[in-house]
Structure formats: C-alpha cells, structure tokens
Amino acid sequence: MLNSSARMMTALATLFTLGAAPVWATETTEQTAVDTITVTGRFLSIDRLNAVKTPTPVLDVPQSLSIVTRAQLEDQAFSSIADILRYTPGLAVSQGEGHRDAIIIRGNQSTADFFLDGVRDDVQYYRPLYNLEQVEILRGANALLFGRGGGGGVVNRVTKTAQLDENFGGLTSSLDTFGAYQVAGDVNSVLSDTVAFRINVFGEHQDNHRDVFEGDRFAVNPTFTVDLGDQTQAVFSYEYVNDDRVVDRGVPSVTVVGGPDVPLEGYRDTFFGSADGNYTTLEASIFRTRLDHTFTDTLRGNVTIQYADYDKYYQNIYAAGFDAAASPQRLTLDGYADETTRQNFIAQGNLVGEFDTGPFSHTVLLGVEYGDQSTSNARIDNTFAASNDDQITIDFSTPVMVPDYAFVDTLRDRESDVQFASLYLQDQIDLTDQLKLVLGLRFDRFDVDVLDREAVSATDDGRRGRVDEEVSPRLGLIYKPLENVSVYASYAESFLPSAGDQFLTLTRTTEDVQPQRFENTEVGLKWDFTRNLSLTTALFRVERGLFTSVDPNNVSQVITIPGSVTDGFEVQLTGQLTDAWTVNAGYSYLDSTIDGGGFDGNRTLQTPEHMLSIWNEYQATDQLALALGVTYQDSYFVREDNAVLVPDYTRVDAAVFYDLTDQTRLQLNVENLLDEDYFPDAHSNDNISTGKPLNARITIRHQF
C-alpha cells in the first residue's frame, strides 16, 4: 500500500507540474450559435438527443458529467469506449471477457448503461466511434432521464447527422506498429433546400501485442435530414456494424504467501486460450427516425423511434487457475460458447416548455417511452476429451497447447420478452436570478417474461415472470453567486429489475426479489473561469441495495450481496490555459465497499481508489502542435472476495500534429511512451488483461 500511495503521489505531482487538474469536456472548438437551440458552448446538444433533454447550460446541470468532443476523440486517437474512460476519472473499465464494452462507474458495474442519441443501446458488444459528434458521460443515478439501471452513471453517444447548410467531407487513415490499420470516410451532401444526405463509413483490421489476436470490423451509417416545413425536421438513420475478432481473456493470477494473489507477470504476450477456438462475431442493424417540431418560441417537442436487431456469438477457452509452485507449472483451462439474438423496439417522446408563473420561470420536460425487447440466449459448455470434463489441468508451456475439446453441453437456453412503459416529468424552476430548483419524477412499468428451456420438467413449465412498477425521484438545487459560478446539491434514485441488466437471469428465486435500488447524493461546484476554461468539483455518495454478482469460486454461479456504499470526490479542469495551451485533466477518489454479508467491508470489484489523468496540447507554430498525456490508475481488487489485487500503474502518452495544408493533417500518437508493464482491467480472478507495450499510430486526415 505504501508503494501504491507513493506512485499515486508521484503521478499527481507529474500532473500538476504539467499544468493541470481534470477532465471536463466542453466544446472549445467549433462553437457555433444557432437559433434552433442546437448547441453549443456550454450547452448539451438538444437537437442531437442530448443527455439532459432540455436546453440547459452545463453550468446549471446539478450533477457531474463529462463531454468528450469529436476533436478530443481524434487528437487522442481513441478507438473504443475503453480508451475514452481511461482518461475519464471516476470510471473504470472492466475486461468484458474480451468481447464487449463493460464499465464501472462509481463502483457499479454495467454492460447495459449505454445510449445512442438518448435511446438505450444495451446489447453486449464493442461500440465503434467513427460516426460520433461527442460522447456524454453522466455520473450518478439517472433513472429520471434514462429509466432502469444507470446506478453509477450512463454513457451516451451522440451521432453525426446530415446537415442542410453545406457540402463537406473527410477521409482518415491510420496504421500502428502492431500492423493494425483503420480507414474512415465522412461525406455530407446537400441534395436540395430541404434534404441532405450524409454517410459515415469505417473499416479496421485489429492487431496488438498478444501472440494470438486479430480481428476485422466495419460499419456504415447513412443519414437523411429532411426539412418538412412549419418548424418541423426529420432525421432518418441506419447503422450496420459487423465485428469479427479473437476473444482474449488475459492472464491468470498467482498465489502470494501472506497476501492477496496478483496477476501472472512475465507473460504479457502469451495467449491463454485456443488460437482457433476463441472468437466472437457480431452483426447489428439499427434503424432510427427522429421528428422535431417547434410549436411556439417556448414549446418544442420530439419523437424518436428506434428498431435494432443484434446477432452476437462468442466462444472461448480461458485460464481458470494457475499453480506456479508446481514443477512443471500447471495451468487449468475452462471454456464455453454463447449466442444471443435480440430485437429492440423503442419509442420515445419529449415535450419541453418554458413559461412563467408569477415571479418564477419554469422549464418543464414531459416525456414518455415505450419499449418491446425480445432476446434469445444459449450457453453451451465445453468438454475436454482427455478429462471428459469442462475443465482440464495441463503442464504450462509457451505457447499454451490446448487439448482437444468440443462445445456439447447446454448450460442455458432462455428466451425473454420485456415490455416497458415510462412517464417522466421534470420542472427546472428559476426561483430567483441566483437560485434554481430541479424537481422530477419518473414512473416505470416493467413486464418481464422468461422461458427457461433447461428448467422444463414434468412439474415445471420453465416460465418465469415478474412485473415491477417503480417511481424514481430527482431533486436538485443550484445556487449561482455569479453568472459563471454554480454551487449545487442533488439527490436521485434509480433501480434495476431482478432479471438483471440483460433480462436473462430471472429464476424461481429471483422472480420474487425486489428490484435493486440506487441512491446518489451529491454536492458540487462548477466555475467557468473564462468562456473556454472550466472547473468542476463534486462530493458524492452512492448507496446500492441488494445485488447479484458472479461467484468468485465458481464463475457459472451467481451470488447475492446485501449492498455497497461508494463515497467519492472528483475535480476536473478543462479548456484553454493560454491561446496556445489546452488541457483536459482530472482526479477522482473512490472509497467503495461492500455493505453486509460475507464480504462486508471488502472493496467493490475493480474500483481503484485513486484515478487521475491529464492531456495537454500545445500549439507550437501555425502548423505544428505537440501533446503529452498521463493517466494513473490505483490498485484494485478483481472481485468482491478481494482475493486478487491488480497493481497500480502510470502510463504516459504523447502526440505530434503537423498541418501539411489547411485541409490535411499528419498525426503521430505514441501510447505507453515509457513502456510500462501494467494490467489495465480484468473480468475474473484468473482473467486479467495485459497492457500494450510502447506503440505508435500514424494518421493522416484530409478535409474537403
């Protein structure tokens, strides 16, 4: 612990020596004011289904949030949600078994709290970034705006849409030192005074430091924007994503006498799986239509309809134990295959009105949402021929020689049908010029029906069902002693049905369990020093009720944990320190512990106590810019049993930008400049990811 604290303080000193504090994201470039209330500056983008759904300045939002702009995505060469979150304090990345996005926000893990233009996008896959304007990360319970889940926060991706005012386009290509490459294109065409078309396309070949890893992914996203007249506009969008890659679950842990186990070191490149048998495939089609109408200067509304179809499959062999004391060393392997198909239909409508009652000004949000989700999921266990069992222990070698196996035994075969309906109302009240009050309630009704084919017997039809009706409140108070300063306090609740965030865990036991509850209490300060430099701080507590987790001793079993409490602090600074120097930086402290049960007092899974990051960019000349970044992550326990401790790390990144012309930029990004050996994330006690060694990516961008 002393070494961890010393390294954290060293990294903290490095950050402030470089000139920073934390990561907020405000748009410091491309700030265009428009009379349709499309965003800008300190506003979230209402015309793009922004996260708060009302035209509210970030300064007046009573909760902690970050906005990662398109410019930041490009400058830091982010290619995944995980890349973004590593530079967003308060959020940790989970491994997701090597086939999906998985996040931990304020000590709460989720694979479903992802949104696309404000509409839920909950299937387990890796989300591409090629077609995004920005990524909005809201922390704290968010049921009022987003419904179930979101106990620690949510991630909302805002997509590019066709623009009616100009023709433009861009091409991007990149290549890294592992041999991975990407190409992307973005073209906007004005077809008439009332119709515009835009298409974003993307393709990549994946590779990294691991002995066995590769993949290919491509996506296409055409959109049409149609001006229907009479203050009405429609946007039609379709996205197709195809992803085929190796499933990599990292390295196992080894026993340490007198202390928690630690990740196996010295095998950063070794693949603990089957070169031929570890892979995942995804096909996703997402259709979306949004209609906006301005009724009057003070009343506007929108309706969004989304239909999405997902087909996901993965199979893997992975490490389930390692005996470093044996001679020769012994490795235990396990595995399974899993397939999921899902169809989501979601319709959402919002009305936003502004009016006065006596001395008070109101901004009222009234919303409704309906969803119908059908899922089919099956899990098939493997059998090793030599052991006639789903596990086998072998002599460890490099490369790992996986014995013959086959996926033959069905562990799970379920269908779930979920219908939900929601009604929400929020009023932002200006009590005085300095004092604002936010009051809101959301009602959700969830009707979950599960067919468990593996449970069918003479006395059991395999049917499970539960109906939940929940009310989630939101309360916020904002005091503005100055126009550019706000002090806020807020309280919000959220919930998660007992069927889990994927609605596939309903059993005879859990169908009688009440929904999991989340309570978020927060106080904070936001201060815009200038139009382009902002500070925010937050103190918070997140209380989570009864929840389920994977049994650390048997990953095929689920255990119940009474609850957890996370107390934390965040501070963030973003913007321009000088005309030439821009900074994004942040620090978070999380004290997150299990409350009750056999793990009482233990740390929650994969929640580093300290996290900090900084990204500096300096415009050296009209053509040349330089950047330096540092991210620090404290040590963390992999599971609630606190049996395996992953060490802390500090990673240094850098970039150089050179404008060949006004339209063409050459960019070099260097990751892990000091070649740190580190373990960035994990899934289970024997599935711990290894960080990439020193590597570089060269990118060329051309705008026309």
CSV table of all heavy atoms in Angstrom, one decimal, residues 555-579:
chain,number,residue,atom,x,y,z
A,555,VAL,N,-17.5,-19.4,-11.5
A,555,VAL,CA,-17.9,-18.3,-12.4
A,555,VAL,C,-19.3,-18.6,-13.1
A,555,VAL,O,-19.9,-17.7,-13.7
A,555,VAL,CB,-16.9,-18.0,-13.5
A,555,VAL,CG1,-15.6,-17.4,-12.8
A,555,VAL,CG2,-16.5,-19.2,-14.3
A,556,SER,N,-19.7,-19.9,-13.0
A,556,SER,CA,-21.0,-20.3,-13.6
A,556,SER,C,-22.2,-20.0,-12.6
A,556,SER,O,-23.3,-20.2,-13.0
A,556,SER,CB,-21.0,-21.7,-14.0
A,556,SER,OG,-20.9,-22.6,-12.9
A,557,GLN,N,-21.8,-19.6,-11.4
A,557,GLN,CA,-22.9,-19.4,-10.4
A,557,GLN,C,-23.0,-17.9,-10.0
A,557,GLN,O,-22.0,-17.2,-10.2
A,557,GLN,CB,-22.5,-20.2,-9.1
A,557,GLN,CG,-22.5,-21.7,-9.3
A,557,GLN,CD,-23.8,-22.3,-9.7
A,557,GLN,OE1,-24.9,-21.9,-9.2
A,557,GLN,NE2,-23.8,-23.2,-10.7
A,558,VAL,N,-24.1,-17.5,-9.5
A,558,VAL,CA,-24.4,-16.2,-9.1
A,558,VAL,C,-24.6,-16.1,-7.6
A,558,VAL,O,-25.3,-17.0,-7.1
A,558,VAL,CB,-25.6,-15.6,-9.9
A,558,VAL,CG1,-26.0,-14.2,-9.3
A,558,VAL,CG2,-25.3,-15.5,-11.4
A,559,ILE,N,-24.1,-15.1,-7.0
A,559,ILE,CA,-24.3,-15.0,-5.5
A,559,ILE,C,-25.0,-13.6,-5.3
A,559,ILE,O,-25.0,-12.7,-6.1
A,559,ILE,CB,-22.9,-15.0,-4.8
A,559,ILE,CG1,-22.0,-13.9,-5.3
A,559,ILE,CG2,-22.3,-16.4,-4.9
A,559,ILE,CD1,-20.7,-13.8,-4.4
A,560,THR,N,-25.6,-13.5,-4.1
A,560,THR,CA,-26.3,-12.3,-3.7
A,560,THR,C,-25.5,-11.6,-2.7
A,560,THR,O,-25.0,-12.2,-1.7
A,560,THR,CB,-27.7,-12.7,-3.1
A,560,THR,OG1,-28.5,-13.4,-4.1
A,560,THR,CG2,-28.4,-11.4,-2.7
A,561,ILE,N,-25.4,-10.3,-2.8
A,561,ILE,CA,-24.6,-9.4,-1.9
A,561,ILE,C,-25.6,-8.3,-1.4
A,561,ILE,O,-26.3,-7.7,-2.2
A,561,ILE,CB,-23.4,-8.8,-2.7
A,561,ILE,CG1,-22.5,-9.9,-3.2
A,561,ILE,CG2,-22.7,-7.8,-1.8
A,561,ILE,CD1,-21.3,-9.4,-4.0
A,562,PRO,N,-25.6,-8.1,-0.1
A,562,PRO,CA,-26.6,-7.2,0.5
A,562,PRO,C,-26.6,-5.8,0.0
A,562,PRO,O,-27.6,-5.1,-0.1
A,562,PRO,CB,-26.3,-7.2,2.0
A,562,PRO,CG,-25.6,-8.5,2.2
A,562,PRO,CD,-24.8,-8.8,0.9
A,563,GLY,N,-25.4,-5.2,-0.4
A,563,GLY,CA,-25.3,-3.9,-0.9
A,563,GLY,C,-23.9,-3.3,-0.9
A,563,GLY,O,-23.0,-4.0,-0.5
A,564,SER,N,-23.8,-2.1,-1.3
A,564,SER,CA,-22.5,-1.4,-1.3
A,564,SER,C,-22.7,0.1,-1.1
A,564,SER,O,-23.7,0.6,-1.4
A,564,SER,CB,-21.7,-1.7,-2.5
A,564,SER,OG,-22.3,-1.1,-3.7
A,565,VAL,N,-21.6,0.7,-0.7
A,565,VAL,CA,-21.6,2.2,-0.5
A,565,VAL,C,-20.3,2.7,-1.1
A,565,VAL,O,-19.2,2.2,-0.9
A,565,VAL,CB,-21.7,2.6,1.0
A,565,VAL,CG1,-21.6,4.1,1.1
A,565,VAL,CG2,-22.9,2.1,1.6
A,566,THR,N,-20.5,3.8,-1.9
A,566,THR,CA,-19.3,4.5,-2.5
A,566,THR,C,-19.3,5.9,-2.1
A,566,THR,O,-20.3,6.6,-2.4
A,566,THR,CB,-19.4,4.4,-4.1
A,566,THR,OG1,-19.4,3.0,-4.5
A,566,THR,CG2,-18.1,5.0,-4.7
A,567,ASP,N,-18.3,6.3,-1.4
A,567,ASP,CA,-18.1,7.8,-1.1
A,567,ASP,C,-17.0,8.2,-2.0
A,567,ASP,O,-15.9,7.6,-2.1
A,567,ASP,CB,-17.8,8.0,0.4
A,567,ASP,CG,-18.9,7.6,1.3
A,567,ASP,OD1,-20.0,8.2,1.0
A,567,ASP,OD2,-18.8,6.8,2.2
A,568,GLY,N,-17.1,9.4,-2.6
A,568,GLY,CA,-16.1,9.8,-3.5
A,568,GLY,C,-16.0,11.3,-3.7
A,568,GLY,O,-16.8,12.1,-3.2
A,569,PHE,N,-15.0,11.7,-4.4
A,569,PHE,CA,-14.7,13.1,-4.7
A,569,PHE,C,-14.1,13.2,-6.1
A,569,PHE,O,-13.3,12.3,-6.5
A,569,PHE,CB,-13.6,13.6,-3.7
A,569,PHE,CG,-13.0,15.0,-4.1
A,569,PHE,CD1,-13.8,16.1,-4.0
A,569,PHE,CD2,-11.7,15.1,-4.6
A,569,PHE,CE1,-13.2,17.4,-4.4
A,569,PHE,CE2,-11.2,16.3,-4.9
A,569,PHE,CZ,-11.9,17.4,-4.8
A,570,GLU,N,-14.5,14.2,-6.9
A,570,GLU,CA,-14.0,14.4,-8.3
A,570,GLU,C,-13.6,15.9,-8.4
A,570,GLU,O,-14.3,16.7,-7.9
A,570,GLU,CB,-15.0,14.0,-9.3
A,570,GLU,CG,-15.4,12.5,-9.4
A,570,GLU,CD,-16.6,12.3,-10.2
A,570,GLU,OE1,-17.2,13.3,-10.7
A,570,GLU,OE2,-16.9,11.1,-10.4
A,571,VAL,N,-12.6,16.1,-9.1
A,571,VAL,CA,-12.3,17.5,-9.5
A,571,VAL,C,-11.8,17.5,-11.0
A,571,VAL,O,-11.0,16.6,-11.4
A,571,VAL,CB,-11.2,18.1,-8.6
A,571,VAL,CG1,-9.9,17.3,-8.5
A,571,VAL,CG2,-10.9,19.6,-9.0
A,572,GLN,N,-12.2,18.4,-11.7
A,572,GLN,CA,-11.9,18.4,-13.2
A,572,GLN,C,-11.7,19.9,-13.7
A,572,GLN,O,-12.3,20.8,-13.2
A,572,GLN,CB,-13.1,17.9,-14.0
A,572,GLN,CG,-13.5,16.5,-13.5
A,572,GLN,CD,-14.7,16.0,-14.3
A,572,GLN,OE1,-15.7,16.6,-14.4
A,572,GLN,NE2,-14.6,14.7,-14.8
A,573,LEU,N,-10.8,20.0,-14.6
A,573,LEU,CA,-10.5,21.2,-15.2
A,573,LEU,C,-10.3,21.0,-16.7
A,573,LEU,O,-9.6,20.1,-17.1
A,573,LEU,CB,-9.2,21.8,-14.7
A,573,LEU,CG,-8.7,23.2,-15.2
A,573,LEU,CD1,-9.6,24.3,-14.7
A,573,LEU,CD2,-7.3,23.4,-14.9
A,574,THR,N,-10.9,21.9,-17.5
A,574,THR,CA,-10.8,21.7,-19.0
A,574,THR,C,-10.8,23.0,-19.7
A,574,THR,O,-11.6,23.9,-19.3
A,574,THR,CB,-12.0,20.8,-19.4
A,574,THR,OG1,-11.5,19.5,-19.6
A,574,THR,CG2,-12.5,21.3,-20.8
A,575,GLY,N,-10.1,23.1,-20.8
A,575,GLY,CA,-10.1,24.3,-21.6
A,575,GLY,C,-8.8,24.8,-21.9
A,575,GLY,O,-7.8,24.1,-21.9
A,576,GLN,N,-8.7,26.1,-22.3
A,576,GLN,CA,-7.5,26.8,-22.7
A,576,GLN,C,-6.9,27.6,-21.6
A,576,GLN,O,-7.4,28.5,-21.1
A,576,GLN,CB,-7.8,27.7,-23.9
A,576,GLN,CG,-8.3,27.0,-25.2
A,576,GLN,CD,-8.6,27.9,-26.3
A,576,GLN,OE1,-9.7,28.4,-26.5
A,576,GLN,NE2,-7.5,28.2,-27.1
A,577,LEU,N,-5.7,27.1,-21.2
A,577,LEU,CA,-4.9,27.9,-20.2
A,577,LEU,C,-4.3,29.2,-20.9
A,577,LEU,O,-4.2,30.2,-20.2
A,577,LEU,CB,-3.8,27.0,-19.6
A,577,LEU,CG,-4.3,25.8,-18.9
A,577,LEU,CD1,-3.1,24.9,-18.4
A,577,LEU,CD2,-5.1,26.2,-17.7
A,578,THR,N,-3.9,29.0,-22.1
A,578,THR,CA,-3.4,30.2,-22.9
A,578,THR,C,-4.0,30.0,-24.3
A,578,THR,O,-4.6,29.0,-24.6
A,578,THR,CB,-1.9,30.3,-23.0
A,578,THR,OG1,-1.4,29.2,-23.8
A,578,THR,CG2,-1.3,30.2,-21.6
A,579,ASP,N,-3.7,31.0,-25.2
A,579,ASP,CA,-4.2,30.8,-26.6
A,579,ASP,C,-3.6,29.6,-27.2
A,579,ASP,O,-4.2,29.0,-28.2
A,579,ASP,CB,-3.8,32.1,-27.4
A,579,ASP,CG,-4.6,33.3,-27.0
A,579,ASP,OD1,-5.7,33.1,-26.3
A,579,ASP,OD2,-4.2,34.4,-27.3
